[in-house]
Amino acid sequence: MDRDHERIHRDERGLRSVGMTELQAIYAELGLAKEDLDILSTPRRSLTVSFPVKLTSGKTQMFQGFRVQYNDARGPAKGGIRFHSEMDEPHARELAFLMALKCAVVNIPFGGSKGGVAVDPSRLSVAELELITRGYIRAIADYIGPFKDIPAPDVYTDERTMAWILDEYERITRQHVPAIVTGKPPELGGIPARRYSTALGGIHVLERALKERGMSPQGTRVVIQGFGNVGENMAIQLHQRGYRIVAVSDVRGGLADPEGLDIVALTRYHQDTKSLQGFPGGREITNAELLTIDCDVLVPAALSNQLDESNARDVKAGIILELANAPTTAQADEIFFERGVMVIPDILANAGGVVVSYFEWSQNLSNDPWPEAKVLQKLKDLMTTAFHDVLVLCKGSSCRLRKAAYQLGVKRILDAERLRGNL
Ligand code: NAD
């Protein structure tokens, strides 16, 4: 490995990026040229912006925002906006790379991007969050657009944030541009199924994986880390299909019950209190304990780098469905492979969100809303086809779904680059 690639291989916290590690591995196996690797390991554009916001205290504070447009050979860049105190440019870059691969794996005409603001939303009022969102959009407005780069929700942003983005962008451009952002409220051109599409897309691939392992959904024991848009909807959808949810958690900790948590009562409690703590059912556990509880399927649906060298050997699940982006470090990934744990990688497992975002964008451009049944059927078709396309590349005892998904995504991006004459 040459020095440049060693540098991009590790982030500023010294963690090996699973994305770049995988890219390096398939570089040799696929016989890629140095030019191919260069094009895939370099983002096309990376913005760091600073903008002032007058908080409700009357004091002005500077905030830092990021937007990385990793690759747009297959279509406009597409990726979420995250509000988190640890958001920074290297993390946005890693997540933007995953978005580019993800859109290629499910074969939708988008490139990849990611962005956000370094901020702890739990310390701010709704009015302040709105001001920060609007300030961030003003700072990046020249670089986004329905045919350039289309934002969407991610950690600690939601439909309401997307509505502010839409409004701010339309104020700047002085025209209606619903396709500028996806994950909007349905009243503003969003698709209701977008709310649970990441979870549902994950279930479509999980059910194919269970079949491969001769298992059925009924009674399959699932643990879910993260109880936000993705994790809570996953719990609801799985429960409705007969799975047994034996533990869930949010940032403050979790709950476990080997007999299965009462998900209907728990989601009602969570919607009323915005918390899992104090729910009368299940034993209180820490997030660390949650990851190693006895179960069949572990679903990380919170932040990156949750499964690492320190806990990978203690994970009991036989299948890991990565609904979070980059929840597994490169070292943990190796341990799971050695132990025969099937890891369904983020760029396949959580693509249901961007697939329905693509439907939303298409509908906004054509002004022709689809019936819900068509949205759900097309989601299933695209996810099932993507799983099949990955599986075709993944045969024999050395099968690793992550490697096969990367091979597929990389090939599709490089094909587009070649046809454009860039390679
Ligand atoms: P969210 O903000 O709605 O929810 C995040 C959840 O994670 C919350 O329950 C929070 O309490 C919990 N959490 C935060 N820090 C934690 C920690 N240290 N330990 C345990 N739990 C913690 O975010 P989301 O939209 O549900 O996104 C979750 C993950 O899924 C992210 O990795 C995101 O990139 C990925 N993802 C989201 C979508 C989408 O459509 N929203 C699509 C694809 C992938």
Side-chain angles (χ1 to χ4, degrees), residues 70 79 143 160 228 236 254 293 337 377:
Y70 202 91
Y143 303 95
R160 184 175 59 185
I236 295 168
I293 280 185
F337 179 59
Q377 187 57 50

Side-chain angles (χ1 to χ4, degrees), residues 49-65 83 117 119 121 124-140 160-161 163-165 167-169 171-172:
V49 294
S50 297
F51 55 93
V53 174
K54 192 175 268 188
L55 299 176
T56 36
S57 64
K59 290 219 160 71
T60 296
Q61 190 178 323
M62 292 301 291
F63 288 89
Q64 208 169 42
F83 285 177
V117 179
V119 63
L124 296 164
S125 66
V126 171
E128 289 170 330
L129 283 174
E130 179 175 349
L131 290 171
I132 290 167
T133 306
R134 289 182 184 277
Y136 171 63
I137 292 305
R138 283 196 297 279
I140 64 165
R160 184 175 59 185
T161 327
W164 295 330
I165 292 175
D167 186 67
E168 192 61 31
Y169 189 79
R171 283 181 196 215
I172 294 165

Side-chain angles (χ1 to χ4, degrees), residues 135-151:
Y136 171 63
I137 292 305
R138 283 196 297 279
I140 64 165
D142 288 343
Y143 303 95
I144 57 173
F147 300 107
K148 289 186 198 170
D149 181 9
I150 306 132

Side-chain angles (χ1 to χ4, degrees), residues 82 102 114 153-157 194 198 225-231 249-251 287 301-303 306 323-325 350 353:
R82 179 174 293 201
K102 189 182 306 180
K114 202 76 169 194
D154 194 73
V155 174
Y156 297 144
T157 58
R194 175 66 183 82
T198 305
Q225 185 197 42
F227 212 67
N229 173 280
V230 176
S249 72
D250 68 6
V251 66
N287 258 299
L303 299 179
Q306 298 298 300
L323 291 193
N325 282 307
N350 71 29

Side-chain angles (χ1 to χ4, degrees), residues 42-199:
T42 318
R44 290 300 163 90
R45 178 180 280 139
S46 175
L47 298 170
T48 298
V49 294
S50 297
F51 55 93
V53 174
K54 192 175 268 188
L55 299 176
T56 36
S57 64
K59 290 219 160 71
T60 296
Q61 190 178 323
M62 292 301 291
F63 288 89
Q64 208 169 42
F66 311 94
R67 189 74 185 164
V68 177
Q69 294 160 353
Y70 202 91
N71 186 284
D72 61 358
R74 292 173 42 85
K78 182 89 190 77
I81 291 184
R82 179 174 293 201
F83 285 177
H84 197 276
S85 50
E86 287 176 14
M87 195 62 191
D88 57 14
E89 197 276 342
H91 201 41
R93 195 180 339 135
E94 183 187 356
L95 296 172
F97 173 53
L98 296 182
M99 281 306 296
L101 289 172
K102 189 182 306 180
C103 293
V105 166
V106 286
N107 214 0
I108 56 176
F110 286 140
S113 56
K114 202 76 169 194
V117 179
V119 63
D120 178 355
S122 68
R123 294 176 177 276
L124 296 164
S125 66
V126 171
E128 289 170 330
L129 283 174
E130 179 175 349
L131 290 171
I132 290 167
T133 306
R134 289 182 184 277
Y136 171 63
I137 292 305
R138 283 196 297 279
I140 64 165
D142 288 343
Y143 303 95
I144 57 173
F147 300 107
K148 289 186 198 170
D149 181 9
I150 306 132
D154 194 73
V155 174
Y156 297 144
T157 58
D158 55 16
E159 279 187 8
R160 184 175 59 185
T161 327
M162 301 305 115
W164 295 330
I165 292 175
L166 173 75
D167 186 67
E168 192 61 31
Y169 189 79
E170 292 187 343
R171 283 181 196 215
I172 294 165
T173 56
R174 300 178 75 81
Q175 54 188 327
H176 281 287
V177 199
I180 174 60
V181 64
T182 60
K184 301 178 289 290
E187 296 83 347
L188 293 175
I191 293 184
R194 175 66 183 82
R195 292 171 181 149
Y196 55 91
S197 58
T198 305

